């Protein structure tokens, strides 16, 4: 099996699906000849031409709005938003239009659009090249939100996303775009949406993460293991709909839970996880669930490593919850 | 060929009395079609009157009329049935012309169990996929880039289909108008931008909406032609739309059509124009009523007779009454239908919420019977 | 003391402050001669003229974007977004600009803008005249989010909001705009942001709500009282920053909690409340906290009363939590 | 008076050799000012070279140059000091001209403890309130409606202040451009829209950005004049800006200035133009280099001498080196500063998060020393 990084895995999935399905088109800023600022679409323009790989004017509302129209026509658009931080000009098209088209038309107009966008900090990107806005979309019925952490999931989940018929926010962990490498099967395979993955089995405490935070969580679990603490790490992979069985089963087993979230704490997706676990496994909990999150400030530049949850901070939380 | 006009130039075929103007040429339209067009405008006028009355009687939650703007709805006559219509909330005639039934129309207003959109949206937010009439949204302007994308998609698929998108002059102030027009210009997408400039956006007059000399002139900012026409002149509407459609299909790109008309009624049943508008202003527009002008034209052509109109009106009225009685007697959609169509397949959390609600529904509570 | 409804209280606060402070200006769609579609700004245009009461073109991004510029210049703009459902075209201006101006400039550029907007369902408004989008803003550091439920709070909180120096989302409960009436002091007074109000004292269980849901919560508490259940009802009034002391103290007292939220359940503000309570009062909880929320669907038209939490549904939750 | 030009009309004062063109008239500028303008353009050129080199050496996280566009920065010479500048990330010269220090500029790039914005944003996102230079944002176009609002605010306050807003041609595709321009037209706001049309938006050429004949022509969509000028001709920039400012102060409303220039460097230090752009294209623009053209003009005026430039360059270089060494040696802002300025007063949740972090910081962790 070839070893790929996440960029290569995404690129591979796009090429594969565009060869397989003529309806798949890509559009966005600089996705054409340039292949995208992170090069995730490189080679597509050369292979599929300007009709299926479209450089657009600088307008996210236009990118998503026109993608919706293409989807209504029967195409399979996969627009790219250059950074998740720049998705807000398209917010109305996403939450009021894309998310509601199927429902508001009584099922007559499904709009299968898969919006790819890199998210997260750790690349010295400051306010506007670091954000993790998944909670906004998780709170929007009609959208699915997929957040892979590694190459094989990125490929399998992207293929599955393009082939299903609901709108998907596909958020890619830019901090580990190249750092996260792994074996990725050649050719066609899918990883179904809505299934979490236990990336490390453990008995004492459940540690939940998604996107780039999964790597920080694993680093923390390794450190904890060195202190003899046996942590179970869950990579949610899809946050809407999320895999409640796997999550609750793990917490019932361990009786303790820590959630690692890069986004600001208040009203982040971690809060939903805490609420759900408490609704379903309260009597199994031996300690309060702790959230290790980004702070409730805009994403800073110089102090980004102080801002972002790191392994030490997660280890601290694991200890506190275990010793509670 | 459509050409960008001087901003004050206004294309007309008919004068206010329904005479073909000197120098103008009426489009060739078979008699049956002329009658059908007239009949659909009449239908809009009559159903608006009826439904507004029902709303005033508290039997409908909300309503919006198109009175005085019916000619703009008939632009679709110049298109093919496969072409796509992205409507706003004020062009029901375009749906009727394509075969949307009075029955479905009224059921949508009631949001009852027979509503094609299952009671999901407010009245006048129709969606009719089988006639390529796209789902109407309240947020103003959002359909504009969608229409551009649809048209671009058709071109990518190698089809000849085009899209027409309707909106008011208020919508031209939105960012969506700008991005939809700009993408269309760059892509030379086969899309027709049809602006009903009816002078008002709720209480906001056109003069507070933009300082540009016209709406048509805005097309120059996107590199394609804009043309200003008399929107109460159905022949100008059809002729101009046909020309723009020909351009689009020839690969020459989009056209912006500014149809000058007037919102004679209130913005909606929730609105009270007397607070902000001189009551004489709407009156002045009655003399260029689009239906009356067309009627006079048809009469001169020997196509219209009072007897024929009497029969048509009676037939329409009867159908409206019958379908309204039926719609009013139809119950609400089943509670469980609320959870359908959020996604193609219902995920666990919605399934649980649905089951939970159905359990509740079985317990006594006034809220659960309609 | 005069009796006012919420519209009158908001209108009174605006007039009062515009007389007191020349820097206060109002702008939005139809706010001028028409006085706003809900008439909250009626009379302002006549009294203060077109320079301080501005009808704008139809563009929310323009309304908020220009309001930011006015605030940077030293004015006190109070833009109105006609319905909260239409705020998304301004989302980028709100979350990327307004919320971050002070922070990103190192404190050089505060932007005190108070965005007024009616929210919530129950008026047969369907998808686009019924939404409760507060969670999006609660997850955005730099914004304050104020959601009064009654006339006196509406006036006092609006005056306090306009006078403090941070951006505020001021969301008004349109369902009870006219139905909620009460004594409102004439003239000047403030209700400080960040303070919840115990609107009904009780011992057995804490019921938390904000905005129009407070009235539904009180109705539920009355019904429960009839069954001899003694409910404490908290009106949060401000959700960012929310009054954690009052909330946690109440839960520690009662040991049980139900949260009533009109917005869709997943990742709503109620989830943050559950998570916060569990972090701080887990050992006092005698039962899992239950959330009674809007369902995770777009806001429906015909079935809106089935969609929205009602007193019966809240009573059911109170019973379940008490009997747990 | 500014008048809307034919889309192909281009206003120039200087030819590529720095001669005043026949029929053109150079604005009256005192010698000291001419030298000051030249010096500031030189400063931008030199500091860009230095900082880009430091970035390549890995000593700066990120950088963006303005090479070839320096003349556009000098539009502010035609304004009053109280007027407000809404910059994008590519007009540092406008800040230098108003007195922003090299020291503060470099400290911002390092995001160190002496950074005027406290290390909050990426390099080149300056904010300098004392010279009315508004906080730079990454999201393209967002400053445009803000500038309109600021200008409208000044008018409401009865002041003569106006606002100038800089943006690239890519920004004209955003919804923000449209709403900012449209509000300004309706309000006749005293705002100058200054578009640096440098041909590229990262890898996207102007031809893929819009199909309009020019950027200037877009002003017609908003009812005010647009004018296209040679953006590498500092005298055309100053003259046109002065005229537009006079219009604005006279209550005649906004002007759109399209300054034709060229992005000779990469979009940013993260960009590699060789992937998408013919390397000869930038070369061709070197012959109309704005600094060299101005130099030749000044030389003819007897204002410029090689010796003077040598001294100025040396002084600038020395200042850059000194301030850079100091900035590089300055540590990061204190960890606790991360929680300031989110709100005027710190609410409980941020206070708790701050205290929690400080407790952590005291525990050993590689992350907490800089
Ligand atoms: C984004 C958005 N903002 C505000 C509204 C409220 N609103 C509904 S219709 C309307 C006026 C629309 O005017 P126009 O576009 O001219 O269409 P007309 O009603 O005249 O046909 C407004 C402001 C909305 N629906 N969507
Ligand atoms: C809303 C938004 N979308 C995308 C980006 C990414 N981006 C940064 S600069 C840029 C190109 C801007 O081009 P232009 O406006 O011409 O300015 P120039 O860089 O040429 O000076 C893009 C696409 C962004 N910063 N903001
Ligand atoms: Mg209108
Ligand atoms: Mg550019």
């Amino acid at each position: 099996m070839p070893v790929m990084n996440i960029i290569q895995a995404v690129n591979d999935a796009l090429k594969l699906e565009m060869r397989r399905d003529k309806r798949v088109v890509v559009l966005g800023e600089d996705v054409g000849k340039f292949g995208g600022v992170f090069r995730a679409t490189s080679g597509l323009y050369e292979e599929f031409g300007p009709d299926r790989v479209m450089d657009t004017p600088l307008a996210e509302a236009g990118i998503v709005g026109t993608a919706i129209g293409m989807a209504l026509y029967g195409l399979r658009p996969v627009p790219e938003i250059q950074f998740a931080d720049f998705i807000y000009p398209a917010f109305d098209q996403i939450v009021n239009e894309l998310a509601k088209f199927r429902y508001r038309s009584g099922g007559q107009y499904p709009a299968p659009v898969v919006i790819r966008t890199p998210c997260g900090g750790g690349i010295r990107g400051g306010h506007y090249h670091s954000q993790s806005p998944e909670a906004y979309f998780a709170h929007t019925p009609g959208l699915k939100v997929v957040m892979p952490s590694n190459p094989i999931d990125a490929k399998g989940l992207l293929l599955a996303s393009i082939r299903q018929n609901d709108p998907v926010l596909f958020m890619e962990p830019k901090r580990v775009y190249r750092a996260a490498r792994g074996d990725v099967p050649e050719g066609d395979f899918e990883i179904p949406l809505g299934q979490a993955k236990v990336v490390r089995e453990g008995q004492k405490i459940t540690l939940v993460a998604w996107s780039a935070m999964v790597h920080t969580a694993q680093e923390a679990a390794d450190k904890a293991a060195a202190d003899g603490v046996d942590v179970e790490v869950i990579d949610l992979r899809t946050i809407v709909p999320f895999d409640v069985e796997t999550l609750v089963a793990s917490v019932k087993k361990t009786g303790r839970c820590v959630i690692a979230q890069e986004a600001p704490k208040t009203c982040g997706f971690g809060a939903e996880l805490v609420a759900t676990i408490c609704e379903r496994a309260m009597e199994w909990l031996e300690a309060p669930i702790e959230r290790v999150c980004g702070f409730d400030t805009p994403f800073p530049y110089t102090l980004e490593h102080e801002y972002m949850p790191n392994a030490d901070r997660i280890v601290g939380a694991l200890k506190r919850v275990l010793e509670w | 060929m459509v050409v960008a006009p001087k901003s004050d130039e206004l294309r007309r075929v008919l004068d206010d009395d329904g005479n073909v103007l000197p120098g103008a040429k009426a489009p060739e339209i078979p008699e049956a079609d002329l009658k059908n067009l007239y009949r659909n405008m009449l239908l809009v006028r009559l159903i608006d009157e009826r439904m507004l009355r029902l709303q005033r009687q508290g039997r409908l939650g909300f309503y919006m009329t198109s009175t005085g703007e019916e000619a703009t709805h008939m632009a679709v006559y110049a298109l093919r049935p496969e072409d796509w219509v992205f409507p706003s909330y004020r062009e029901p005639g375009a749906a009727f012309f394509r075969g949307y039934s009075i029955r479905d129309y009224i059921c949508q207003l009631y949001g009852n169990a027979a509503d094609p959109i299952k009671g999901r949206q407010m009245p006048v937010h129709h969606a009719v996929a089988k006639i390529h009439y796209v789902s109407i949204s309240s947020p103003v302007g959002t359909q504009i880039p969608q229409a551009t994308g649809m048209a671009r998609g058709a071109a990518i698929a190698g089809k000849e289909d085009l899209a027409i998108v309707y909106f008011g002059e208020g919508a031209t102030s939105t960012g969506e108008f700008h991005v939809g027009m700009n993408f269309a210009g760059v892509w030379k997408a086969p899309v027709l931008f049809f602006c009903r400039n009816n002078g008002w956006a709720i209480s906001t007059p056109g003069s507070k909406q933009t300082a540009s000399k016209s709406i048509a002139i805005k097309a120059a900012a996107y590199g394609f032609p804009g043309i200003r026409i008399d929107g109460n002149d159905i022949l100008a509407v059809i002729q101009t739309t046909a020309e723009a459609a020909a351009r689009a299909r020839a690969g020459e790109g989009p056209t912006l059509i500014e149809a000058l008309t007037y919102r004679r009624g209130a913005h909606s049943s929730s609105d009270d124009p007397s607070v902000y508008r001189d009551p004489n202003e709407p009156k002045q527009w009655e003399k260029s009523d689009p239906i009356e002008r067309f009627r006079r034209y048809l009469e001169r052509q020997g196509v219209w007779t009072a007897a024929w109109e009497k029969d048509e009106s009676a037939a329409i009225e009867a159908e409206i009454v019958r379908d309204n009685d039926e719609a009013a007697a139809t119950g609400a959609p089943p509670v469980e239908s609320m959870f359908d169509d959020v996604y193609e397949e219902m995920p666990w959390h919605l399934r649980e919420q649905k089951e939970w609600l159905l359990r509740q529904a079985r317990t006594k509570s006034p809220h659960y019977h309609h």
Side-chain angles (χ1 to χ4, degrees), chain A, chain B:
Chain A
M1 255 193 308
V3 171
M4 295 185 187
N5 63 30
I6 294 175
I7 291 287
Q8 294 164 327
V10 166
N11 187 262
D12 189 41
L14 289 171
K15 283 198 174 126
L16 204 83
E17 198 59 6
M18 290 181 81
R19 287 176 191 148
R20 205 187 65 84
D21 183 349
K22 292 253 157 311
R23 301 169 305 163
V24 178
V25 298
V26 161
L27 65 158
E29 294 153 11
D30 308 296
V31 298
K33 212 191 246 182
F34 191 39
V37 296
F38 289 103
R39 326 312 310 281
T41 59
S42 65
L44 300 184
Y45 182 86
E46 292 70 11
E47 179 171 353
F48 303 103
D51 267 2
R52 293 183 64 196
V53 184
M54 294 168 262
D55 279 319
T56 66
L58 203 171
E60 288 71 19
I63 293 167
V64 175
T66 57
I68 291 171
M70 293 175 189
L72 296 178
Y73 192 75
L75 299 184
R76 292 283 172 162
V78 185
E80 173 180 296
I81 299 298
Q82 201 163 80
F83 286 82
D85 315 63
F86 304 137
I87 204 166
Y88 309 123
F91 203 73
D92 192 46
Q93 284 289 340
I94 296 171
V95 309
N96 261 347
E97 297 293 314
L98 182 59
K100 297 174 171 55
F101 241 104
R102 181 191 290 273
Y103 193 77
R104 80 183 193 204
S105 63
Q108 296 179 76
Y109 284 108
V113 174
V114 177
I115 300 173
R116 287 184 44 251
T117 190
C119 68
I123 60 157
R124 301 184 65 71
H127 279 38
Y128 299 115
H129 298 78
S130 307
Q131 295 176 38
S132 300
E134 68 270 16
Y136 297 135
F137 303 108
H139 185 54
T140 306
L143 301 177
K144 292 179 178 174
V145 184
V146 179
M147 300 184 76
S149 67
N150 61 59
I152 186 166
D153 289 348
K155 180 177 176 180
L157 286 165
L158 184 52
L159 286 170
S161 296
I162 299 173
R163 293 170 186 180
Q164 57 87 61
N165 296 317
D166 294 310
V168 173
L169 265 288
F170 192 87
M171 300 194 167
E172 301 166 2
K174 76 168 96 72
R175 177 166 64 87
V176 293
Y177 252 159
R178 291 189 166 72
R181 302 171 53 78
D183 294 340
V184 177
E186 278 184 274
D188 192 1
F189 70 97
E190 288 182 38
I191 292 176
L193 272 54
Q195 293 186 9
K197 189 169 171 206
V198 177
V199 293
R200 176 195 189 104
E201 296 242 350
Q203 300 302 322
K204 284 253 172 314
I205 185 165
T206 302
L207 175 57
V208 188
W210 56 94
S211 194
M213 257 315 123
V214 171
H215 301 276
T216 315
Q218 284 175 299
E219 186 191 340
D222 293 339
K223 289 194 176 195
D227 308 356
V229 179
D230 175 22
V231 181
E232 177 147 297
V233 180
I234 296 179
D235 178 352
L236 281 183
R237 302 200 293 191
T238 299
I239 70 167
V240 178
F242 70 95
D243 184 345
V244 68
E245 282 88 1
T246 302
L247 178 69
V248 169
S250 174
V251 173
K252 286 183 176 174
K253 178 179 74 175
T254 63
R256 293 181 152 85
C257 183
V258 167
I259 292 160
Q261 162 190 306
E262 192 176 312
K265 181 177 188 181
T266 297
C267 224
F269 188 70
E272 179 60 38
L273 294 175
V274 174
T276 303
I277 293 167
C278 290
E279 280 159 9
R280 294 160 185 262
M282 176 91 161
E283 55 275 56
W284 281 267
L285 282 176
E286 288 156 33
I289 300 169
E290 193 167 322
R291 291 177 288 166
V292 183
C293 303
F295 299 113
D296 286 314
T297 77
F299 199 103
Y301 173 68
T302 306
L303 296 170
E304 74 171 335
H305 291 298
E306 286 69 13
Y307 177 84
M308 289 170 63
N310 58 43
D312 294 341
R313 221 184 272 172
I314 295 171
V315 168
L318 292 167
K319 292 213 173 106
R320 275 188 300 276
V321 173
L322 280 162
E323 290 158 11
W324 195 81
Chain B
M1 255 304 301
V2 176
V3 286
K6 282 186 253 70
S7 60
D8 49 0
E9 203 176 280
L10 181 70
R11 178 192 278 202
R12 307 179 85 188
V13 174
L14 296 176
D15 67 16
D16 281 354
D17 296 326
N19 306 300
V20 175
L21 286 156
K25 194 179 163 313
E28 308 283 343
I29 303 176
E31 173 166 342
D33 291 358
L34 290 169
K35 285 182 148 167
N36 187 30
L37 288 163
Y38 186 83
R39 189 186 184 284
N40 276 287
M41 289 167 73
L42 201 59
L43 165 55
V44 173
R45 181 69 55 93
L46 295 172
I47 206 165
D48 276 352
E49 284 166 4
R50 280 265 173 192
M51 295 303 121
L52 188 61
R53 212 175 314 133
L54 288 172
Q55 195 282 333
R56 295 229 174 89
Q57 295 162 1
R59 294 171 58 194
L60 276 180
F62 175 83
Y63 196 67
M64 296 176 93
T65 63
S66 309
T67 306
E69 304 183 45
E70 295 90 346
T72 62
H73 304 187
M74 297 304 136
V76 292
Y77 175 74
L79 305 181
R80 301 176 182 170
E82 320 80 77
D83 295 333
W84 291 80
V85 181
F86 285 76
S88 83
Y89 43 72
R90 218 183 289 279
E91 304 90 13
F96 288 133
F97 181 83
R98 287 184 160 207
Y100 191 40
S101 71
I102 293 175
R103 183 174 176 287
D104 287 352
Y105 179 88
I106 296 178
C107 286
Q108 194 284 324
L109 301 180
Y110 281 90
N112 63 21
D115 171 8
I117 66 164
K118 307 181 185 175
R120 300 269 169 74
Q121 288 207 82
M122 287 175 79
V124 311
H125 289 65
H126 307 274
V128 198
K130 66 177 184 302
I131 57 166
H132 287 192
Y133 193 80
V134 176
S135 168
I136 295 169
S137 182
S138 307
V140 166
T142 50
Q143 73 276 26
I144 299 173
Q146 293 164 10
T148 298
M150 167 81 77
R152 173 71 169 131
I156 291 168
K159 300 287 179 56
E160 274 207 336
D161 304 345
L162 56 82
I164 185 170
V165 55
Y166 281 105
F167 50 89
E169 85 292 342
T172 65
S173 295
T174 63
E176 255 85 358
F177 169 79
H178 181 65
V179 300
M181 294 275 286
N182 192 48
F183 276 55
V186 172
W187 282 339
K188 278 184 166 295
V191 53
L192 278 46
F193 297 97
F194 196 104
C195 179
R196 288 178 297 93
N197 183 352
N198 64 4
W200 292 89
I202 306 184
S203 77
T204 308
S207 59
K208 286 185 169 185
Q209 202 60 249
T210 182
S212 68
K213 293 214 194 67
S214 71
I215 300 298
I217 199 176
K218 292 177 185 282
Y222 311 103
F224 57 84
I227 180 163
R228 190 178 226 201
I229 67 172
D230 180 341
N232 289 3
D233 173 352
I234 184 174
L235 298 186
V237 166
I238 287 169
Q239 186 175 68
T240 309
T241 308
E243 290 170 359
R247 279 193 78 245
R249 274 191 244 275
E252 292 163 28
T255 303
L256 170 62
I257 299 170
E258 175 188 9
L260 268 186
T261 180
Y262 188 80
R263 195 198 81 208
R264 272 156 55 187
H267 170 68
S268 76
S269 56
S270 317
D271 179 37
D272 173 13
S274 70
V275 182
Y276 56 79
R277 184 168 83 171
D278 173 354
N280 295 320
E281 198 181 283
K283 287 217 177 43
Q284 323 215 326
W285 282 81
E286 287 171 15
K287 68 176 183 331
S288 71
D289 180 80
I291 297 179
E292 176 59 15
R293 279 166 73 182
F294 191 35
R295 189 195 65 72
R296 293 183 184 182
Y297 171 75
L298 294 183
E299 188 170 16
R300 287 200 190 76
Q301 303 289 309
V303 171
W304 181 92
T305 66
W308 174 76
E309 171 151 352
K310 197 153 160 304
D311 295 348
E312 290 299 332
S313 304
I316 292 169
E317 296 275 13
E319 197 176 342
I320 293 174
V321 170
R322 187 198 65 217
D323 293 343
N324 180 66
D325 292 347
E326 185 187 320
T330 307
V335 170
E336 57 271 30
S337 72
M338 181 163 51
F339 301 90
D340 299 335
D341 304 320
V342 181
Y343 301 94
E344 185 173 45
E345 287 153 22
M346 202 176 294
W348 66 268
H349 61 293
L350 278 169
R351 217 168 38 243
E352 284 188 1
Q353 290 173 19
K354 173 180 172 180
E355 285 153 12
W356 182 89
L357 177 59
L358 292 180
R359 272 197 308 279
Q360 298 281 315
R362 277 181 233 100
T363 72
K364 275 199 59 48
S365 153
H367 283 301
Y368 300 101
H369 338 113
H370 271 258

